Amino acid sequence: VCGSPGRLQPSLLLLLRLVTTKKEHIMKNLRLVMASSIFALFVLKAHGFAAPKNSRLADEAVSIFQTAYPKKEPFKASAWTSFGVPGYDIDGTPIRKAKKGEQRRRLTDISEKQCRASFKALAQVYGQDEALEITRTMPIILSFDNQWFGPSYKEWSRIFGADEAKAMVLRNPGLLAVRPENAATATDQTMNFSYIVAYTRPFSKILLPGLLFLLAVPAMEAVTGVSIRALLFNF
């Protein structure tokens, strides 16, 4: 059996053919499995199944926050920052004044890690989809103290009921800035105000300038000597 291939016994030649065929069959199957796996990954990614839902929602929440509050240079206090600020509070507590050139942190100066942590805490209390809805309504809530989310919701649930408390926060996400001890003092006015906030939100870009104009009318009348209110009411 040590001679040239042409002199090998028929049984040995048959065995070699079987081994070669088996090897080629295995390699072919491996190539098919690899191709199928790669194709499956592309399909899953195209349909949005490449990452868990909570991860995708967190990514969107972070993107919303970063778009609303892009990173800026650190805020530096100027000479006008403390202009007119008294030295002491009404109870006699000294008020700290920022020094000129001192860097101060903004409320929105948070990292992506902090954004994700706040969104996770919010989702644990109100649900993932609801947390994203809240973030879309008021992105700045991701910079609030997320340790208050759960305890404050617990207090509101005790007062109004779980479903009502959840709906109230969805209407007025600004409540997420409320400390738990203050949440415990909520009244019907808190609930009613959430409806007002939700109703007026679509018109906020018009209402705020209008309110500022109305507040400035007396001053403009004093400067110009023209009765603006009389002109408006007689129009």
Side-chain angles (χ1 to χ4, degrees):
V1 296
C2 297
S4 62
R7 298 175 60 186
L8 294 175
Q9 296 181 4
S11 59
L12 185 56
L13 289 173
L14 180 60
L15 179 61
L16 289 174
R17 290 194 188 98
L18 289 173
V19 171
T20 303
T21 303
K22 189 70 173 177
K23 182 179 179 181
E24 291 176 353
H25 183 69
I26 292 173
M27 294 301 296
K28 182 179 180 180
N29 287 338
L30 285 175
R31 286 194 292 269
L32 287 174
V33 170
M34 292 178 64
S36 299
S37 300
I38 294 173
F39 177 77
L41 288 174
F42 278 110
V43 171
L44 290 173
K45 186 175 181 179
H47 289 276
F49 297 111
K53 181 180 180 181
N54 58 350
S55 177
R56 288 186 288 108
L57 295 183
D59 290 343
E60 185 174 350
V62 171
S63 176
I64 292 171
F65 181 86
Q66 292 178 343
T67 301
Y69 306 103
K71 289 185 177 181
K72 299 180 180 179
E73 292 295 325
F75 174 78
K76 293 183 179 180
S78 65
W80 294 98
T81 304
S82 301
F83 181 78
V85 179
Y88 295 89
D89 202 345
I90 192 171
D91 60 354
T93 305
I95 297 177
R96 181 183 179 276
K97 298 182 180 181
K99 298 179 180 179
K100 183 178 179 180
E102 178 183 356
Q103 292 186 357
R104 303 185 65 181
R105 179 181 175 275
R106 302 181 185 87
L107 177 64
T108 55
D109 289 341
I110 61 174
S111 65
E112 180 179 332
K113 183 178 179 181
Q114 290 172 304
C115 275
R116 292 184 181 277
S118 291
F119 182 79
K120 181 180 179 181
L122 191 64
Q124 288 175 343
V125 178
Y126 296 96
Q128 296 179 7
D129 294 327
E130 291 80 0
L132 185 59
E133 180 182 346
I134 291 172
T135 304
R136 286 173 178 153
T137 302
M138 187 178 288
I140 199 172
I141 56 96
L142 293 184
S143 62
F144 294 168
D145 191 334
N146 57 53
Q147 294 182 353
W148 298 347
F149 295 167
S152 292
Y153 173 72
K154 184 177 180 180
E155 294 295 341
W156 291 322
S157 298
R158 179 180 57 82
I159 299 170
F160 304 111
D163 293 339
E164 289 78 4
K166 181 178 180 180
M168 181 180 70
V169 174
L170 286 171
R171 288 191 295 269
N172 183 14
L175 290 170
L176 292 168
V178 176
R179 293 174 177 269
E181 56 268 27
N182 294 330
T185 64
T187 63
D188 289 340
Q189 291 184 352
T190 310
M191 178 66 71
N192 294 335
F193 188 71
S194 71
Y195 286 100
I196 297 175
V197 171
Y199 180 78
T200 58
R201 183 176 295 115
F203 313 105
S204 59
K205 293 182 179 180
I206 301 174
L207 292 176
L208 182 58
L211 177 61
L212 294 176
F213 172 76
L214 292 175
L215 293 174
V217 165
M220 290 188 292
E221 288 180 339
V223 172
T224 62
V226 178
S227 180
I228 298 175
R229 284 170 288 186
L231 293 175
L232 291 175
F233 292 136
N234 293 330
F235 179 73

